[in-house]
Amino acid sequence: MATDILLELAQVLEGRKRADPESSYVASLYAKGLDTILKKIGEEATETVIAAKGGDREQLVYETADLWFHTLVLLAHQGLGPEEVLHELERRFGLSGLKEKAARNET
């Protein structure tokens, strides 16, 4: 199940916080800090857009996986996990997107 994979990956990413940055790509991202993680997400988002524009479904899946992965790294860095995002998506399920957006703009 997709949720299980996200939760397993989140556990691995959490464990990488204690890893040596010389031995782990994720640990090196954590060591470099928030700006480096955000830059990587920006790169992956751009590559995802390019893949979608190019019409290559396989490349789109690959780039989306990279984007999701690095977003999970960001969440872990900020002390969050996929559970919080999944709960928010669940909260929104069945809501009109237009109404939900309007409600956010009222505050």
Side-chain angles (χ1 to χ4, degrees):
M1 182 174 198
T3 304
D4 295 338
I5 293 169
L6 290 174
L7 297 177
E8 282 182 52
L9 182 54
Q11 286 180 331
V12 170
L13 295 177
E14 194 62 36
R16 294 294 191 269
K17 288 181 176 179
R18 297 177 296 282
D20 177 5
E22 296 293 320
S23 68
S24 165
Y25 169 70
V26 172
S28 74
L29 287 175
Y30 291 143
K32 291 175 185 171
L34 182 60
D35 286 346
T36 296
I37 296 168
L38 295 174
K39 181 180 175 190
K40 192 64 184 169
I41 289 174
E43 291 171 8
E44 298 302 345
T46 300
E47 290 172 2
T48 301
V49 169
I50 291 168
K53 290 287 287 180
D56 184 335
R57 293 169 56 93
E58 187 175 316
Q59 191 65 27
L60 176 57
V61 169
Y62 180 88
E63 295 301 346
T64 300
D66 280 351
L67 178 58
W68 287 14
F69 176 84
H70 288 90
T71 300
L72 288 169
V73 170
L74 170 65
L75 289 172
H77 185 266
Q78 299 292 80
L80 298 167
E83 302 92 345
E84 287 87 354
V85 177
L86 292 170
H87 287 300
E88 177 59 18
L89 289 171
E90 184 177 39
R91 183 191 71 77
R92 294 180 188 185
F93 196 81
L95 293 177
S96 161
L98 295 174
K99 288 181 183 176
E100 196 274 334
K101 185 171 177 133
R104 280 187 282 146
N105 291 332
E106 289 177 3
T107 58

